[in-house]
């Protein structure tokens, strides 16, 4: 039996939740105050995911830095790989919100998309 | 080879440089900081002392009164902000009133104009926020406030326009007398000169002692300050002093020339001449002093503090200015021990030193000395029509960069491109006040960096706060 | 002098939502004045996700959330000016603005909506001792440098204050390759959302030291290190608890202050607790026709609430300029709201029953962490609401709703009290 402890993020209460696990499966969740806590805990111990947000440089646009995010949440252990995958990415204006900036973020199959519009630089 | 090298571009060095620039000579100021006024001159009370405090017969007393008289005219000639707000020493009991009499007598001996003792009623009319315990006060109408940076900047710029060279980030390491000249070894090579003027502030003893057997000793006496928001700047009109004690004039509460209020300075002798840090204990003392200030009727709200800072006074053991040719080191001149009222006295020190040096070197006055200088153009002082004309000609004056002090891009660009122009964030701040307001540069930092980068054609990563290793950013994102 | 029915100062989330609501209410001439180079305000530098869960039922990043509003402002052809600073306003509602192309311009407004947002508390306000080297940034300034300008403020970072921006920047700097060593928080609880503690600190093993503050900053040119120490219940550092950290950067996330320089110019009455204007049920200040919303009114935790509040300000400003507040309504009696026993303030501060909508949301913050406690509302001495909350914390805004119909049943009511009760 393996025990995992975590803090619930559902509300400011921040319950200390204990999850009992056997063979990678959740056996029991304790310490939570509400059902949301249990749902969060199960997800967090079995397949924790995060949306990664970052930025890339953009050329020829009215701004120099373009904000981006993974379109969906990626496995938590891939956060750094995803962020680092952007190091070599170059983007040219114009860009629209939702445009794909990197097709597959670090082998997750999930793309990075733009979260901001960038217009051509009109003049200097 | 130079005729004169001045060590130190503080207010003393800049005033000396400016007065010497009236003569035909080859002069240079060497300064280890990246700008003028980057040591003691940038962190002090900014008070123009009238001269009642200095000991009668001392050089301090003489130069204070002379310096005070010079400053008002210079402010017009060189366009830097001053305000003659008067000084008050407030007595809260009969014992202290006796001390006021002593100060009054001193004022007369020193030749300070217009000093008198005010009754409780008179002074309360003048300063309604003074404590109810006020019994009487000494009033010196020639007391004032000044922007301490801009006196040094104005003097420095004017000296530069008149031909004095400035070498910044140049630290003098050793001084040698050789073949009738001085060799100054610096971090950027050796400089030769006929004559040296030592205006090195807290380090003046170090340089003096390199060439003289008659040693002097200077202690760094730290003063810490709390600076308050302009919204409480109207507490007092005059600079309000307590009755003085052993360590100096005491902690005062005074408006700055720009309308902030400050409380300070404290006085603590420190070993390290670089220790311009504020300390937890002293800030605590200052906070208590400000909260329970016995001279103010109104409580000073501590949530209006916008910053705290510390400066080091160059306290000489004998507590007087030394302005001399060093007796056992010909052609080596000291302007040492320049502590309060050094800022006020600096124009007079400049005149006195220039006289000594020019006589020694038999210098001739030059023709075409430029005596006037215009400061950074302040759009806020213009009418709307004038301002619009200005913006039409130069749109940068329509772009606010510092929202607290309402400083425009035009002013910042001016500060960068004028003589001895600003190269770092702090040097822009001292010339324009951008970043000096209540948000303390939170808003304008990225914007000012962009302007510096563009105007000086340097990368954002090369921009410093105050020269040397004080870079603001360490690289681009995605490159670490 | 050109005139507008409504002039909105600030084109951030509050200004945008206010403009849209005013437009929907039938006001034709609206002008938004924005000092930055684009609309959207601080949301443009908040590139992380987590915005809009309440409003759009999805998780957006700051720029995406902003764009939902910007898009509508563009569709509605609401006039706006960028890179434009408001220099002055007067009680007679003359607004002076300045920009590069037009210079100083005076315009006449019928109503003004204050939506200037807030600014960060600087180091000076905390009186942190030590040197003043390069490398000390407020978290928001660092956020702008990283996310909008693309520069890294430093490599080895210590953060003071656990406000949300500080926490977000801890993660952001980490993802860019910096090493965040510790977050020190002077209070015994975090000022930020639980979610940010977990996802910005715990995910990356960054320690949070509660009841700790910075007592010294080292480094003459660039920051070289800090000393943090534990504080006692009076927030005074405890001698002997000092710990040194080598670092080149200090980020400060120690609170936000509404930016009310302009409000003060027209003597808007201010609330000492929020540092924002005192407003009535219409979010109108004591200066008639001058409304306030968003972080200039009181600092919010979620932008969704800013948008909601600002829409109300926009709607009421519209009513004001269209002459829908008049006569009888204005003369109806006014009830004062009082915040006591753990409730720090309420927005609004007064309610005029004649002018209020069917319901009015009253927002407030608590002054401490309360567990298993009750939000209670008293109409004079009668308790009319007693709602149990498992947890309330200073970092999160709370609200209650006042019902007009119910209030009409209390014709002599003078005071509504909001408080926290244990039982």
């Amino acid at each position: 039996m393996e025990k995992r402890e975590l803090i619930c993020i559902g509300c400011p209460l921040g319950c200390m939740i204990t999850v009992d696990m056997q063979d990678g499966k959740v056996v029991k969740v304790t310490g939570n105050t509400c059902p949301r806590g249990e749902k969060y805990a199960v997800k967090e111990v079995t397949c924790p995911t995060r949306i990664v947000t970052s930025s890339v440089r953009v050329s020829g646009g009215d701004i120099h830095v373009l904000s981006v995010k993974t379109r969906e949440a990626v496995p938590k252990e891939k956060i750094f790989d995803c962020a680092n995958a952007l190091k070599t990415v170059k983007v040219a204006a114009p860009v629209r919100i939702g445009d794909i900036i990197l097709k597959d973020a670090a082998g997750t199959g999930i793309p990075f998309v733009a979260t901001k519009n960038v217009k051509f630089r009109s003049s200097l | 080879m130079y005729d004169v090298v001045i060590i130190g571009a503080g207010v003393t060095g800049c005033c000396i440089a400016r007065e010497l620039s009236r003569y035909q000579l080859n002069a240079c100021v060497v300064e280890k900081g990246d700008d003028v006024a980057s040591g003691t001159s940038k962190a002090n009370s900014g008070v123009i002392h009238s001269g009642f405090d200095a000991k009668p017969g001392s050089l301090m007393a003489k130069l204070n009164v002379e310096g005070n008289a010079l400053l008002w005219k210079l402010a017009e000639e060189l366009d830097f902000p001053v305000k003659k707000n008067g000084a008050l020493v407030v007595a809260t009991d009969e014992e202290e009133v006796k001390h006021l009499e002593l100060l009054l007598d001193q004022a007369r001996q020193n030749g300070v104009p217009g000093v008198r003792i005010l009754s409780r009623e008179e002074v309360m009319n003048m300063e309604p926020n003074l404590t109810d315990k006020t019994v009487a006060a000494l009033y010196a109408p020639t007391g004032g406030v000044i922007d301490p940076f801009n006196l040094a900047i104005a003097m420095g710029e004017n000296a530069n326009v008149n031909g004095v060279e400035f070498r910044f980030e140049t630290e003098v390491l050793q001084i040698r007398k050789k073949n009738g000249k001085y060799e100054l070894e610096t971090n950027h090579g050796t400089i030769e000169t006929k004559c040296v003027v030592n205006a090195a502030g807290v380090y003046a003893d170090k340089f003096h002692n390199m060439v003289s057997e008659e040693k002097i000793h200077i202690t760094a006496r730290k003063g810490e300050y709390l600076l308050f928001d302009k919204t409480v700047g109207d507490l007092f009109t005059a600079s309000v002093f307590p009755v003085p004690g052993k360590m100096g004039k005491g902690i005062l509460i005074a408006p700055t020339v720009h309308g902030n209020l400050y409380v300070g300075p404290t006085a603590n002798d420190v070993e390290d001449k670089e220790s311009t840090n504020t300390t937890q204990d002293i800030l605590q003392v200052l906070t208590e002093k400000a909260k329970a200030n016995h001279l103010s009727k109104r409580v000073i709200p501590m949530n209006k503090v916008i910053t705290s800072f510390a400066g080091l006074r160059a306290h000489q053991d004998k507590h007087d200015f030394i302005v001399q040719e060093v007796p056992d080191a010909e052609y080596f001149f000291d302007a040492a021990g320049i502590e309060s009222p050094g800022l006020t006295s600096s124009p007079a020190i400049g005149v006195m030193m220039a006289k000594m040096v020019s006589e020694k070197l038999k210098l001739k006055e030059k023709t075409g000395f430029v005596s006037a200088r215009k400061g950074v153009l302040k759009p806020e002082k213009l009418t709307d029509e004038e301002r619009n004309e200005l913006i039409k000609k130069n749109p940068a004056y329509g772009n606010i960069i510092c929202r607290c002090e309402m400083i425009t891009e035009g002013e910042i660009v001016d500060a960068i491109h004028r003589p001895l122009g600003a190269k770092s964030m702090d040097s822009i701040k001292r010339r324009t006040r951008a970043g000096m307001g209540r948000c303390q540069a939170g808003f304008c930092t990225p914007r000012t960096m962009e302007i510096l980068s563009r105007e000086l054609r340097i990368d954002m990563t090369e921009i410093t706060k105050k020269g040397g290793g004080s870079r603001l950013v360490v690289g681009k994102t995605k490159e670490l | 002098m050109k005139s507008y029915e409504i002039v909105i100062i600030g084109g951030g989330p509050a200004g945008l939502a206010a403009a849209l609501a005013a437009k929907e209410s039938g006001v034709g001439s609206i002008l938004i004045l924005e000092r930055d180079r684009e609309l959207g305000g601080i949301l443009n530098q908040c590139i992380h996700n987590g915005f809009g869960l309440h409003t759009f039922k999805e998780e957006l990043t700051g720029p995406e959330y902003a764009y939902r509003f910007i898009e509508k402002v563009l569709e509605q052809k609401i006039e706006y000016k960028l890179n434009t600073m408001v220099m002055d306003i007067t009680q007679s509602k003359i607004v002076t603005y300045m920009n590069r192309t037009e210079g100083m311009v005076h315009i006449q407004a019928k109503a003004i909506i204050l939506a200037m947002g807030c600014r960060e508390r600087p180091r000076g306000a905390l009186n942190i001792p030590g040197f003043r080297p390069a490398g000390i940034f407020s978290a928001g300034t660092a956020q702008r440098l990283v996310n909008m300008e693309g520069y890294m403020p430093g490599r080895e970072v210590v953060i003071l204050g656990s406000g949300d921006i500080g926490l977000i920047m801890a993660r952001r700097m980490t993802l860019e390759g910096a090493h965040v060593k510790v977050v020190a928080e002077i209070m015994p609880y975090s000022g930020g959302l639980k979610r940010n503690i977990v996802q910005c600190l715990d995910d990356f093993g960054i320690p949070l030291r509660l009841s700790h503050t910075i007592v010294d900053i080292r480094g003459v040119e660039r920051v070289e290190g800090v000393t943090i120490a534990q504080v006692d219940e009076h927030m005074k550092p405890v001698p002997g608890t000092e710990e040194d950290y080598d670092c080149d950067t200090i980020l400060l996330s120690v609170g936000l202050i509404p930016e009310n320089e302009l409000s003060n110019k027209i003597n808007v009455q201010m609330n000492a607790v929020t540092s924002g204007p005192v407003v009535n049920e219409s979010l109108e200040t004591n200066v008639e026709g001058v409304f306030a919303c968003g972080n200039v009114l009181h600092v919010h935790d979620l932008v969704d609430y800013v948008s909601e509040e600002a829409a109300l300000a926009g709607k009421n400003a519209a009513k004001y300029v269209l002459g829908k507040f008049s006569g009888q309504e204005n003369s109806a009696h006014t009830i004062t709201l009082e915040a006591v026993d753990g409730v720090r303030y309420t927005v609004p501060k007064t309610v005029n029953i004649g002018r209020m909508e069917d319901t009015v949301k009253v927002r407030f913050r608590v002054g401490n962490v309360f567990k298993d406690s009750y939000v209670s509302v008293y109409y004079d001495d009668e308790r009319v609401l007693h709602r149990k909350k498992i947890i309330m914390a200073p970092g999160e805004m709370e609200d209650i709703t006042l019902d007009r119909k119910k209030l009409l049943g209390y014709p002599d009511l003078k005071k509504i009290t909001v408080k926290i009760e244990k039982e």
Side-chain angles (χ1 to χ4, degrees):
Chain A
M1 188 89 98
E2 187 201 345
K3 273 190 194 299
R4 293 276 304 275
E5 297 205 328
L6 45 107
I7 302 168
C8 181
I9 64 165
C11 78
L13 199 55
C15 293
M16 286 293 297
I17 304 181
T18 306
V19 184
D20 293 342
M21 300 187 63
Q22 190 117 43
D23 306 326
K25 290 219 167 65
V26 174
V27 180
K28 198 170 80 178
V29 178
T30 50
N32 56 311
T33 309
C34 70
R36 280 192 304 164
E38 179 168 346
K39 200 175 155 202
Y40 168 74
V42 171
K43 172 93 165 63
E44 199 57 15
V45 297
T46 50
C47 64
T49 59
R50 302 283 187 267
I51 285 179
V52 177
T53 58
S54 188
S55 59
V56 294
R57 255 156 227 289
V58 56
S59 57
D62 55 352
I63 52 174
H64 309 294
V65 179
L66 168 69
S67 54
V68 299
K69 67 173 183 186
T70 54
R71 194 160 61 193
E72 288 141 48
V74 299
K76 192 179 147 188
E77 73 272 10
K78 290 277 190 183
I79 293 177
F80 274 107
D81 293 341
C82 289
N84 289 336
L86 292 171
K87 281 191 176 182
T88 50
V89 174
K90 294 245 179 336
V91 184
V95 183
R96 299 282 307 168
I97 290 176
D99 283 0
I100 289 174
I101 298 304
L102 179 66
K103 228 181 240 165
D104 179 2
T108 57
I110 294 165
F112 265 111
V113 294
T115 59
K116 197 169 166 69
N117 293 333
V118 185
K119 287 189 288 234
F120 279 126
R121 186 170 351 179
S122 43
S123 67
L124 284 173
Chain B
M1 185 163 81
Y2 293 104
D3 297 310
V4 181
V5 168
I6 299 164
I7 307 174
V11 72
T12 308
C14 287
C15 286
I16 293 169
R18 193 260 181 171
E19 291 309 318
L20 274 175
S21 70
R22 295 175 184 275
Y23 297 91
Q24 298 173 23
L25 86 171
N26 192 8
C28 173
V29 180
V30 291
E31 165 59 45
K32 77 176 165 139
D34 81 318
D35 191 13
V36 300
S38 48
T40 299
S41 304
K42 78 167 179 202
N44 55 65
S45 308
V47 166
I48 300 177
H49 291 285
S50 57
F52 60 75
D53 189 71
K55 205 173 126 209
S58 63
L59 185 57
M60 218 176 229
K62 176 178 180 284
L63 293 176
N64 183 346
V65 175
E66 288 176 13
N68 181 298
L70 286 173
L71 267 176
W72 309 111
K73 199 177 138 257
L74 278 169
E76 280 174 34
E77 201 170 23
L78 298 179
D79 192 22
F80 56 82
V82 287
K83 204 191 269 172
K84 202 181 266 188
N85 65 330
L88 288 169
V89 183
V90 177
T92 54
D93 60 36
E94 289 306 323
E95 202 52 40
E96 289 188 338
V97 174
K98 281 184 203 153
H99 204 107
L100 297 187
E101 302 283 354
L102 291 176
L103 289 176
L104 182 65
D105 184 49
Q106 241 174 227
R108 283 183 186 139
Q109 292 186 55
N110 291 350
V112 185
V115 178
R116 59 200 163 97
I117 290 178
L118 303 181
S119 68
R120 175 190 155 83
E121 200 191 352
E122 282 175 287
V123 68
M124 291 306 280
N125 271 338
M126 203 185 258
E127 296 288 352
N129 287 322
L130 275 178
T131 172
D132 286 332
K133 294 197 191 99
T134 304
V135 182
L138 182 84
Y139 175 56
T142 57
V145 283
I146 184 169
D147 177 330
F149 330 116
N150 274 304
L151 171 57
I153 290 165
M155 287 290 196
E157 277 183 19
N158 190 237
N160 185 241
V161 166
N162 285 301
V164 177
E165 186 185 340
F166 280 73
R167 296 195 189 182
F168 293 107
E169 303 201 55
T170 303
E171 185 175 1
V172 176
L173 306 169
Q174 192 53 252
I175 303 174
R176 279 181 298 266
K177 178 120 197 209
K178 217 168 161 184
N179 306 332
K181 63 187 182 203
Y182 285 97
E183 279 186 4
L184 276 57
E185 190 189 321
T186 77
N187 56 335
H188 293 302
T190 302
I191 301 171
E192 295 183 343
T193 178
K194 264 187 224 163
C195 173
V196 175
V197 176
N198 169 21
V202 290
Y203 292 104
D205 55 348
K206 184 174 115 183
F207 296 118
H208 169 100
N209 294 342
M210 284 179 186
V211 298
S212 171
E213 286 313 310
E214 287 171 42
K215 304 298 179 194
I216 61 170
H217 181 247
I218 286 168
T219 310
R221 181 167 286 177
K222 189 186 285 189
E224 301 190 27
Y225 293 85
L226 295 178
L227 185 70
F228 291 78
D229 193 280
K230 285 181 175 174
T231 51
V232 292
D234 61 349
L235 182 68
F236 297 131
T237 308
S239 304
V240 174
F241 296 76
V243 171
K246 197 173 72 209
M247 285 291 269
K249 299 177 194 76
I251 291 177
L252 59 151
I253 314 173
T256 69
V257 75
H258 301 290
N260 297 83
L261 180 80
Y262 71 89
V263 177
T266 51
N268 290 79
D269 292 347
V270 292
E271 287 295 318
D272 180 2
K273 290 181 176 181
E274 292 296 312
S275 63
T276 51
N277 56 327
T278 54
T279 54
Q280 197 188 325
D281 296 348
I282 303 292
L283 286 185
Q284 191 58 39
V285 170
L286 266 182
T287 306
E288 296 305 325
K289 279 262 187 199
K291 265 192 207 157
N293 199 287
H294 71 293
L295 295 182
S296 162
K297 188 184 288 172
R298 230 158 65 186
V299 177
I300 305 174
M302 293 313 293
N303 62 354
K304 294 291 180 191
V305 173
I306 60 172
T307 191
S308 47
F309 63 91
L312 300 175
R313 315 176 183 84
H315 174 69
Q316 195 261 122
D317 287 359
K318 292 181 185 144
H319 189 55
D320 200 1
F321 298 154
I322 301 174
V323 182
Q324 63 169 11
E325 181 178 8
V326 176
D328 62 342
E330 209 185 356
Y331 293 103
F332 191 101
F333 293 81
D334 280 331
I338 313 299
E339 63 181 312
S340 177
L343 183 64
T344 314
S345 310
S346 55
I349 297 172
V351 171
M352 183 178 169
M353 182 63 80
K355 185 164 180 284
M356 291 190 326
V357 173
S358 62
E359 281 170 6
K360 185 80 188 174
L361 295 179
K362 301 191 175 60
L363 298 174
K364 284 197 200 88
E365 283 200 39
K366 69 166 77 133
T367 50
F369 172 74
V370 181
S371 65
R373 165 257 188 195
K374 283 310 272 177
V376 171
L377 173 66
K378 290 287 175 203
E380 65 189 20
K381 294 197 174 142
L382 305 176
T383 64
D384 280 7
E385 289 72 28
E386 292 168 332
R387 207 166 173 161
N388 281 336
E389 271 311 302
L390 179 66
I391 296 168
K392 217 177 262 171
K393 268 189 243 147
N394 183 353
Y397 283 102
N399 184 19
I400 295 281
I401 299 295
C402 164
R403 61 168 172 197
C404 299
E405 299 292 320
M406 293 302 226
I407 307 301
T408 63
E409 183 181 345
E411 288 154 82
I412 293 174
V413 172
D414 180 356
I416 294 171
H417 292 305
R418 59 182 27 246
L420 305 186
K423 298 181 289 291
S424 60
M425 300 295 277
D426 281 0
S427 56
I428 284 180
K429 179 164 88 174
R430 287 194 288 269
R431 281 165 181 75
T432 64
R433 299 188 56 71
M436 217 173 263
R438 56 181 67 96
C439 95
Q440 290 283 295
F443 179 79
C444 62
T445 292
R447 292 162 173 84
T448 308
M449 287 174 71
E450 247 172 70
I451 298 171
L452 261 175
S453 164
R454 182 189 74 208
E455 296 297 321
L456 295 179
R457 296 165 196 265
I458 55 174
D459 197 80
M460 287 275 279
T461 55
E462 290 171 45
I463 293 167
T464 64
K465 183 171 187 287
K466 49 187 170 185
S470 66
R471 291 191 181 200
L472 280 154
V473 298
V474 299
K476 290 185 174 174
T477 50
K478 303 283 173 294
E479 284 178 357
L480 277 198
Chain C
M1 189 165 19
K2 203 166 174 185
S3 66
Y4 289 86
E5 282 178 310
I6 300 179
V7 171
I8 299 172
I9 306 176
L16 295 171
L20 286 168
K23 185 85 182 180
E24 271 165 36
S25 305
V27 176
S29 84
I30 301 169
L31 176 66
I32 304 172
L33 297 170
E34 167 57 42
R35 67 185 175 195
D36 216 328
R37 60 195 178 205
E38 55 190 334
L39 292 174
I42 293 301
L43 284 172
N44 287 315
Q45 66 184 57
C46 299
I47 66 166
H48 55 282
N49 61 309
F51 297 90
L53 275 168
H54 293 255
T55 314
F56 301 109
K57 308 289 171 229
E58 58 180 311
E59 263 197 62
L60 303 172
T61 64
E64 290 172 307
Y65 184 94
Y67 192 65
R68 299 273 168 117
F69 288 85
I70 295 170
E71 203 171 20
K72 285 192 199 145
V73 164
L74 298 176
E75 272 168 22
Q76 295 290 327
K77 300 196 164 52
I78 295 172
E79 192 179 342
Y80 63 91
K81 290 180 188 294
L82 301 178
N83 299 308
T84 298
M85 185 68 91
V86 174
M87 308 294 284
D88 195 19
I89 55 177
T90 67
Q91 288 213 329
S92 53
K93 301 188 193 66
I94 292 171
V95 178
T96 306
Y97 68 80
M98 184 176 80
N99 59 36
R100 297 174 71 105
T101 47
E102 296 171 274
M104 296 272 279
V105 181
H106 305 284
I107 51 173
Q108 176 71 58
K110 262 191 207 161
I112 294 174
I113 300 179
L114 305 170
M116 294 87 80
C118 60
R119 61 187 155 83
E120 298 179 277
R121 280 175 82 198
R123 169 190 179 182
L126 306 171
N127 249 332
I128 303 169
F131 283 93
R132 308 208 299 165
I136 306 169
F137 298 90
S138 62
T141 305
Q143 190 176 44
R144 185 177 175 106
L145 279 170
V146 176
N147 293 345
M148 294 181 73
E149 320 288 341
Y151 291 94
M152 284 297 281
R155 295 185 172 90
E156 302 284 318
V157 186
V158 168
I159 298 179
L160 178 66
S162 60
D164 286 308
I165 315 170
L167 301 176
I168 295 286
M169 282 312 289
R171 173 175 65 189
R172 184 77 184 99
M173 297 281 286
T174 304
L175 287 181
E176 285 293 340
H179 179 205
V180 179
K181 297 194 155 175
V182 67
V183 176
E185 166 60 58
I186 196 165
M187 302 302 284
Y189 47 81
S190 162
L193 301 171
K194 260 296 170 278
R195 164 199 167 101
N196 286 335
I197 301 280
V198 170
Q199 299 197 344
C200 299
L201 301 186
D202 297 353
D203 272 6
F204 303 98
I206 300 167
L208 171 63
R209 307 294 299 273
L210 298 174
S211 300
H212 276 70
T213 192
I214 293 180
V215 294
D216 194 20
I217 296 174
R218 294 187 299 281
V220 174
E221 294 186 331
R222 175 85 196 188
V223 174
E224 287 166 13
V226 301
T227 306
I228 71 168
Q230 199 177 333
V231 296
D232 62 20
E233 61 271 29
H234 308 294
M235 312 245 193
K236 295 267 178 298
V238 180
T241 62
E242 295 85 0
E243 291 167 61
D244 290 343
Y245 288 87
D246 291 338
C247 62
D248 62 16
T249 305
I250 299 166
L251 299 189
L252 303 172
S253 180
V254 289
L256 301 168
I257 311 163
E259 197 164 313
N260 274 299
E261 281 74 5
L262 288 169
S263 322
N264 286 326
K265 286 196 172 181
I266 52 168
N267 296 323
V268 164
Q269 190 193 340
M270 303 298 281
N271 180 324
V273 178
T274 57
S275 300
V278 170
V279 292
N280 62 22
E281 75 298 319
S282 310
L283 304 181
E284 186 185 23
T285 67
N286 63 312
V287 182
E288 194 192 295
V290 176
F291 298 78
C293 55
N295 283 351
V296 84
L297 178 55
H298 58 137
V299 174
H300 292 63
D301 52 351
L302 297 180
V303 70
D304 303 76
Y305 300 149
V306 168
S307 303
E308 188 183 314
E309 181 183 275
L312 182 65
K315 191 171 167 185
N316 283 317
K319 273 192 191 168
Y320 174 81
V321 300
L322 299 174
K324 289 182 182 167
F325 286 151
S326 58
Q328 215 179 1
E329 285 180 350
N330 276 334
S331 65
H333 89 284
T334 295
I335 305 158
T336 303
L337 280 129
E338 200 169 273
V340 294
D341 296 348
V343 178
R344 296 184 59 225
Y345 68 86
T346 63
V347 169
K349 182 80 180 113
T350 59
V351 174
N352 177 322
I353 297 181
R355 282 175 41 152
M356 77 182 279
E357 308 259 309
D358 287 344
T359 61
V360 160
K361 211 168 242 185
V362 176
R363 299 186 201 276
F364 62 92
R365 279 186 196 256
V366 294
N368 211 328
V369 176
F370 293 96
K371 285 185 183 166
D372 293 321
S373 301
Y374 294 83
V375 175
S376 297
V377 177
Y378 287 77
Y379 283 3
D380 287 330
D381 294 326
E382 182 192 341
R383 185 159 80 191
V384 295
L385 179 87
H386 192 56
R387 189 170 71 207
K388 186 165 181 179
K389 297 275 288 182
I390 297 172
I391 180 88
M392 284 177 280
E396 316 223 356
M397 254 164 52
E398 301 288 336
D399 62 62
I400 54 156
T401 301
L402 297 178
D403 189 311
R404 183 161 184 266
K405 277 201 198 107
K406 189 169 168 188
L407 283 170
L408 286 171
Y410 292 79
D412 298 323
L413 180 58
K414 295 213 162 41
K415 188 169 80 180
I416 297 174
T417 307
V418 187
K419 61 169 95 167
I420 305 301
E421 292 180 319
K422 204 65 205 157
E423 293 181 352

